[in-house]
Amino acid sequence: MKKLILAALTIASVTGIASTSAFASNKMYALGGFGMDDGDVGGQFTFGSQIMQSKWYVESTLLVISTDEKDLQTKQEFDSLMLSLTPMYKHSFSENFAVYGKAGAFYAHSDTKLVFLSSDNNEVHKGSHGDFGLTYGIGAEYKSLKPVFGHSKFVTRAGFDWYEFGGSTGWYTAESVLSIQAGFTF
């Protein structure tokens, strides 16, 4: 079921970006890099497209973080993924430098496994949680002046994203993520 939800959200995000691109100029981009929250580092991938030659864009970002912690009594594994879809406004200072702001929605899914270590037998507790929330972010972007190959230009970006969600369980969580990514326009 989890994989089905992830596949549906991924397809919806890619379809949304592709349909937006049908009305846009050829300013699309794909970025990959890392995101870091509270010392945990994970992979971050972004796909985006300009909306009809304006300063507005729409993008989808996937952040995947996996952590393992172990001490004398417990072993904990935590896998989390966040998939967002956000409109973004980009202000260019020159042809190759811009700042951006974005706000939108995301879906987060987490799997946890906690093992209590003992000499006789290990007690295992597993859990899974998914929730929707709001995301917003700011950052700066550098784009090469000349194409690297064909019409594609090199793009690098640094930014902060915030994720806020509070689900039906009554708890509230806010995460901040520092990200550095690089990729190409096409």
Side-chain angles (χ1 to χ4, degrees):
M1 183 67 178
K2 294 180 236 176
K3 291 181 182 179
L4 180 62
I5 292 171
L6 175 61
L9 286 171
T10 303
I11 290 169
S13 296
V14 171
T15 303
I17 289 172
S19 64
T20 301
S21 299
F23 301 107
S25 69
N26 61 355
K27 293 188 180 179
M28 295 177 61
Y29 52 92
L31 306 169
F34 71 89
M36 183 173 68
D37 74 344
D38 297 331
D40 298 327
V41 178
Q44 188 172 28
F45 308 95
T46 301
F47 299 98
S49 177
Q50 184 180 30
I51 301 173
M52 299 176 56
Q53 299 180 345
S54 68
K55 293 183 178 189
W56 287 94
Y57 293 74
V58 63
E59 71 177 31
S60 180
T61 300
L62 175 66
L63 173 64
V64 180
I65 294 180
S66 180
T67 60
D68 295 327
E69 296 178 6
K70 186 175 181 180
D71 60 28
L72 294 175
Q73 297 176 355
T74 62
K75 177 181 173 186
Q76 182 176 353
E77 297 173 12
F78 183 75
D79 297 322
S80 177
L81 81 90
M82 294 185 220
L83 180 63
S84 67
L85 184 60
T86 58
M88 178 179 76
Y89 182 80
K90 191 183 296 186
H91 177 74
S92 297
F93 291 104
S94 66
E95 283 186 50
N96 60 338
F97 183 73
V99 294
Y100 67 85
K102 61 183 181 176
F106 77 97
Y107 175 75
H109 182 83
S110 301
D111 290 320
T112 58
K113 180 180 176 184
L114 180 61
V115 179
F116 291 99
L117 306 172
S118 67
S119 59
D120 298 342
N121 145 2
N122 293 338
E123 185 179 339
V124 178
H125 297 276
K126 293 182 180 182
S128 181
H129 181 77
D131 210 348
F132 289 94
L134 300 175
T135 182
Y136 47 94
I138 57 171
E141 179 178 284
Y142 173 81
K143 181 171 50 177
S144 64
L145 289 175
K146 295 182 180 181
V148 177
F149 58 88
H151 294 289
S152 294
K153 294 183 179 182
F154 175 75
V155 178
T156 186
R157 174 191 283 187
F160 283 99
D161 294 334
W162 291 271
Y163 298 91
E164 295 185 5
F165 50 100
S168 56
T169 58
W171 55 274
Y172 171 80
T173 302
E175 294 285 335
S176 60
V177 176
L178 167 66
S179 63
I180 297 178
Q181 297 178 298
F184 297 97
T185 63
F186 51 95

